[in-house]
Amino acid sequence: MANIKDRKIQALRNIILTLVILIPAIGFGQSQKTLSEILWSRVNSCYSMFEDMDDDGIPDFNKIDDSKNGYLKISGSWPTCGCSCSSEVGAYKNSSGSYIILQSDEVECSWERIISSNHDLIEILPDGFGINNFTSEPIKSDMDYSVFFLGIEIPRIGTDTKVKIELIPFGLFPKGVNLICFEYQQENHHKYLYGIRDVAKEMSDIETINYLLNGSFDKISPTDNLLISKEIGTDDSRFKSMEEMREYLIQLKNTYDLYCKLKTNELVLGWNRNESKFYIKDEGEKIQQITFRDFLINNRYWSWMC
């Protein structure tokens, strides 16, 4: 019995010794992952979508591969509905020699836009970063959804990074307490609002939009009433009533009012290696004001792609 017990103890010691040797070795192996491997691993979600269209054994896609120096971009499409994706990633070195990764992804068919990092984005963006960095005066909003997306242009050379707040396609309402979001997709609440654009574009009386906003339906001309009636119906591509159209038009008017308060929609961020953090280096050009009608006509609207 003693020999059996001794053998069990020795076996247990051997297991523990093996773990002591292997675990640090595994960790050491992971820490030796090259910068190129790190960047390629981050774009795998997009890369995995591509197919070998010409039967040469290699997936077909476009790439700018300077990953050994900290920059990688891939893009391409696949047969289903002509869908496409792109993934761009860059590495920003800090004073300790480690990398902060910044990434921008887009999947067209699902209206998906995401910016991400290997660190908390809030921690690496300038202190207090938000909508007021783009306005002349501080603004507050009680909206429970975001209206802007923070687009980024990751530099291939250098670290100066342009960021731009872009209007989220009309009809998508990503929930959130911040007016600027880092992610949206059509799986969030959505509504087909293209009918509003058509009315704004084709209406014969320029006051029709104001009549709709104010609920003064009786003041709408017969010609424009007929135009609006074509957008009323029971299917998903139309509004249940003129009142429902008015409710969504009010939401777009609120978005327009916010847009009009922007002094710029672009900033250039510099990189502080010591703090592993961006700072505001410069502002973009001043935004040109447009009418509410042009705002409705010229911006993007969500629609089903497949």
Side-chain angles (χ1 to χ4, degrees), residues 18-256:
T18 300
L19 292 174
V20 168
I21 294 172
L22 284 179
I23 291 176
I26 292 171
F28 179 78
Q30 290 176 336
S31 68
Q32 295 304 300
K33 201 172 186 182
T34 67
L35 179 57
S36 181
E37 289 171 335
I38 291 171
L39 298 190
W40 272 104
S41 68
R42 290 194 64 96
V43 302
N44 187 62
S45 178
C46 179
Y47 176 77
S48 64
M49 298 289 190
F50 303 136
E51 299 180 12
D52 178 13
M53 304 296 294
D54 52 10
D55 297 323
D56 64 354
I58 303 173
D60 295 300
F61 66 102
N62 302 311
K63 68 178 178 179
I64 301 174
D65 185 4
D66 194 18
S67 53
K68 66 180 181 180
N69 293 316
Y71 178 86
L72 173 65
K73 181 177 182 179
I74 66 170
S75 62
S77 60
W78 53 94
T80 307
C81 299
C83 289
S84 65
C85 71
S86 65
S87 188
E88 184 179 30
V89 60
Y92 299 75
K93 199 172 186 177
N94 62 20
S95 57
S96 67
S98 60
Y99 291 99
I100 306 298
I101 305 299
L102 193 59
Q103 183 167 351
S104 176
D105 294 288
E106 180 173 7
V107 182
E108 187 175 353
C109 283
S110 58
W111 293 82
E112 182 177 339
R113 296 282 304 277
I114 301 173
I115 61 170
S116 60
S117 173
N118 59 341
H119 287 252
D120 187 338
L121 281 169
I122 297 298
E123 295 299 319
I124 64 174
L125 287 171
D127 290 334
F129 186 83
I131 189 66
N132 290 324
N133 293 118
F134 299 87
T135 60
S136 300
E137 299 178 1
I139 61 173
K140 294 182 179 180
S141 172
D142 57 1
M143 289 183 175
D144 62 353
Y145 58 90
S146 301
V147 297
F148 299 104
F149 171 76
L150 185 66
I152 56 175
E153 293 183 17
I154 298 172
R156 182 175 177 181
I157 300 173
T159 56
D160 285 355
T161 303
K162 183 184 290 186
V163 297
K164 181 178 182 179
I165 53 172
E166 307 168 10
L167 285 165
I168 293 169
F170 297 161
L172 293 178
F173 304 94
K175 294 296 181 182
V177 295
N178 296 313
L179 291 174
I180 302 174
C181 70
F182 302 149
E183 174 182 0
Y184 70 80
Q185 54 188 333
Q186 71 179 11
E187 276 70 17
N188 304 129
H189 174 58
H190 55 263
K191 172 67 178 178
Y192 188 84
L193 300 182
Y194 222 92
I196 290 177
R197 175 189 175 277
D198 290 343
V199 170
K201 187 176 182 180
E202 304 296 334
M203 64 186 184
S204 59
D205 183 356
I206 198 170
E207 290 299 317
T208 293
I209 289 295
N210 289 328
Y211 295 150
L212 277 170
L213 281 171
N214 299 329
S216 303
F217 302 146
D218 58 322
K219 295 183 179 180
I220 299 174
S221 69
T223 300
D224 287 348
N225 240 323
L226 179 61
L227 178 66
I228 293 169
S229 68
K230 294 178 181 178
E231 306 301 335
I232 308 299
T234 57
D235 57 275
D236 291 341
S237 64
R238 294 191 285 180
F239 301 94
K240 294 184 177 68
S241 64
M242 196 177 293
E243 182 58 38
E244 185 186 48
M245 177 185 282
R246 174 176 177 264
E247 291 174 1
Y248 281 106
L249 185 61
I250 289 172
Q251 289 184 326
L252 294 180
K253 180 60 165 60
N254 291 336
T255 298
Y256 170 74

Side-chain angles (χ1 to χ4, degrees), residues 250-265:
I250 289 172
Q251 289 184 326
L252 294 180
K253 180 60 165 60
N254 291 336
T255 298
Y256 170 74
D257 290 341
L258 284 170
Y259 178 84
C260 288
K261 294 178 180 179
L262 299 179
K263 61 179 177 180
T264 185
N265 61 354

